[in-house]
Each structure stands twice: as C-alpha cells, then as structure tokens.
Amino acid sequence: MRVTINQIKEMKQKGEKISCLTAYDYSTAKIVDEAGIPLILVGDSLGMVVLGYESTIPVTIEEMLHHTKAVVRGVKQAMVIGDMPFMTYHLSVEQALQNATRFIQEAGAQSVKLEGGVTVAEKVRRLVECGIPVMGHIGLTPQSIHQFGGFKIQGKTPEAAIRLLKDAQALEEAGAFSIVLETVPAPLGALITERIGIPTIGIGAGIGCDGQVQVINDILGSFADFVPKHAKQYAKLTDIVRNAVTEFHNEVTAGTFPTDKQSFSMDESILAKLKAK
Ligand code: KIV
C-alpha cells in the first residue's frame, strides 16, 4: 500500500517522527523505498548534486519530470514528491496547476512541493482543491538565494521569525499536507512545529521538527563539492567509489581484468574451424 497524506498527518498526531530522503534515479529510489522511508522527494537539488549546476535555479521542468519518472518506477510504497522548479508556479495559478498536473499525470508522482509561504498560498489552495497534495517549503528556499544573498540561515530576527510562522500558518490554511523548514534556528523550528497542525519536515531546523529530510548524496557522502552543516555523513561513498574506479583502471592497464570469471567460452571445434580458414 502506498503511503498517503493522511498517514503522514497521523504520524504527527501520534508523535511518530517522519523520515524523508531525496532520490533522483531508479536504483537509488528502490533502495530508499525498501528501507521503509515513507517520503521520497525528487528535489530540484538534483540540479546541483546530479547535473552540476551552481544552484537549483537553472533546473527545468523537463529535467525534473525525467528524474521523477525514473524514481516512480523504483518505488512501491513511499509517497513520491515532485519538486516544482524555479518559475514553474510563480506566474499564475493556472501555470502552477498546469505544471503540477504534469508531475502527477505524466511522471506519476503522488504530490508536489513548492517553495514559499504567504505568497504561494493561493496556488497551494487551488492545487489542493484540484486533488494535488502539496508539501510547502519555507526558510532557506534555495530558489530565492539571489534574494537572500546566498545560502544563509533564515528567521534570525524577530520580524523574520514572525514572517516564517505566518508563512507556515498560511500554508496549513491553504491545505498543504506538510512543510519543509530549511535552515532556521532550532528553537524556531520547534515553535513553528508546535503552532501548526501539519507535520514540519526539517533540514537544518533542529530536532523539534516532526520529521527530517536530507539530500541523499549528503548522507551517503557522494557529493564532494561541499558538505552542509546540517548534513551527517552515514557513509563516505566518494572514497569507496574512487578506490573502486582506481582499482578498475589499474587492472585494465595492467592487463589483469577481465579474468576467465568475467569472460565467455566458445565450443573448441567451432574455434578450430575458424582458425583453419
Ligand atoms: O531540492 C531539495 O532536495 C529540497 C530539500 C533539500 C528539502 O528542497
């Protein structure tokens, strides 16, 4: 049975913590799903960790749909959330509806995520009215880094903290089923979590959130460009992969790969006839 938004909301009521990871391809999504993670986000972070862009801003909807389809093919249980990229929901309610529909209808996601609070509440309301579950995202919203002046902690002044609380309340009121809180002080993360009825999923927002989301490359240690403060590396895949690749290279150049184990044999008589020609 596929995880539903009601189950996710109930987890908050029961005090059960919610885990969420990003995935961008079929094989990784399959592992994440089989591990029992209930929420899989096809984040536009793929622009940085998979496609090598400097930020998430250049990511297009076609790129997002391509990866969302691959993830959906690998997932049986988790809810797949498609992340709406920059300027694919800002222009109008109609634009938001059209593009969110593509994630659900073409790519097979069960919900979408979009960045912003009060300013996107009207769009969230319309998507929800039309049957598209929405995850909100406030705090350090990477699509606004130029406005923020970089990847900076948000909600540190009283005014900014109140704005974030109002954003969270507006998203809940508009019908979002959960909200990502990114890079805000831990006490603010806990306060927002207490003040709203839907789950908060934190990333750099402290232990007081209802759940936690991480970029999979960060927890696996497979993205070497930088390690965000909020990430814990549960593995160091970069080292493992580098060692394996170097060993392969050394064996090929030394003529020790492949061995008989990786090769296919042929009937001796056929070979003899070929050699006789
Ligand atoms: O794009 C992404 O992966 C995200 C998460 C970091 C929440 O938005």
Side-chain angles (χ1 to χ4, degrees):
M1 264 289 283
R2 177 80 67 179
V3 171
T4 65
I5 57 166
N6 291 341
Q7 285 171 309
I8 297 299
K9 290 199 245 181
E10 276 165 21
M11 285 175 82
K12 176 172 180 128
Q13 282 144 24
K14 292 184 195 156
E16 291 171 18
K17 293 281 189 181
I18 305 161
S19 59
C20 175
L21 275 176
T22 66
Y24 316 106
D25 65 84
Y26 168 83
S27 357
T28 311
K30 204 163 177 211
I31 298 169
V32 174
D33 191 40
E34 285 169 3
I37 303 275
L39 296 175
I40 299 183
L41 171 67
V42 189
D44 63 356
S45 49
L46 74 84
M48 298 174 78
V49 299
V50 176
L51 303 177
Y53 298 143
E54 273 185 11
S55 75
T56 59
I57 290 170
V59 177
T60 65
I61 187 149
E62 300 306 332
E63 287 166 339
M64 289 305 302
L65 292 173
H66 176 76
H67 286 271
T68 304
K69 286 179 195 173
V71 167
V72 166
R73 287 192 283 268
V75 173
K76 291 202 173 82
Q77 312 238 321
M79 179 194 300
V80 177
I81 307 152
D83 205 3
M84 298 189 68
F86 184 59
M87 278 302 148
T88 62
Y89 52 95
H90 301 82
L91 303 187
S92 64
V93 170
E94 285 68 31
Q95 186 214 23
L97 202 47
Q98 267 168 5
N99 286 325
T101 301
R102 294 191 69 189
F103 276 97
I104 307 295
Q105 201 170 42
E106 271 178 53
Q110 287 82 48
S111 59
V112 296
K113 175 169 85 57
L114 43 83
E115 296 183 4
V118 171
T119 53
V120 295
E122 192 197 348
K123 284 142 189 162
V124 172
R125 181 170 294 106
R126 190 67 190 126
L127 297 191
V128 172
E129 276 170 5
C130 292
I132 300 177
V134 178
M135 173 183 257
H137 184 167
I138 58 174
L140 171 51
T141 44
Q143 291 171 14
S144 303
I145 46 155
H146 295 318
Q147 183 64 32
F148 295 147
F151 291 94
K152 291 185 179 154
I153 184 162
Q154 300 297 306
K156 285 192 84 169
T157 64
E159 299 76 28
I162 288 169
R163 260 200 313 276
L164 282 179
L165 180 57
K166 290 207 166 119
D167 281 336
Q169 288 164 335
L171 288 169
E172 177 178 20
E173 204 265 317
F177 75 90
S178 63
I179 302 174
V180 169
L181 288 185
E182 179 162 353
T183 317
V184 300
L188 179 61
L191 182 92
I192 294 175
T193 302
E194 274 167 35
R195 294 283 178 90
I196 61 173
I198 54 173
T200 56
I201 311 292
I203 175 162
I207 192 71
C209 296
D210 298 304
Q212 299 294 328
V213 57
Q214 287 284 306
V215 168
I216 189 143
N217 303 62
D218 289 339
I219 69 154
L220 296 181
S222 63
F223 180 64
D225 291 5
F226 65 90
V227 181
K229 175 175 161 59
H230 59 63
K232 174 175 172 187
Q233 288 191 335
Y234 292 82
K236 291 205 185 296
L237 281 201
T238 309
D239 294 346
I240 294 171
V241 172
R242 188 180 293 114
N243 289 342
V245 168
T246 306
E247 210 177 319
F248 167 75
H249 175 65
N250 291 344
E251 288 192 3
V252 170
T253 51
T256 56
F257 175 89
T259 64
D260 285 351
K261 204 174 168 199
Q262 293 91 26
S263 304
F264 304 91
S265 61
M266 190 181 182
D267 193 292
E268 289 292 340
S269 61
I270 298 174
L271 190 59
K273 273 187 203 158
L274 277 173
K275 284 184 176 169
K277 286 208 171 180

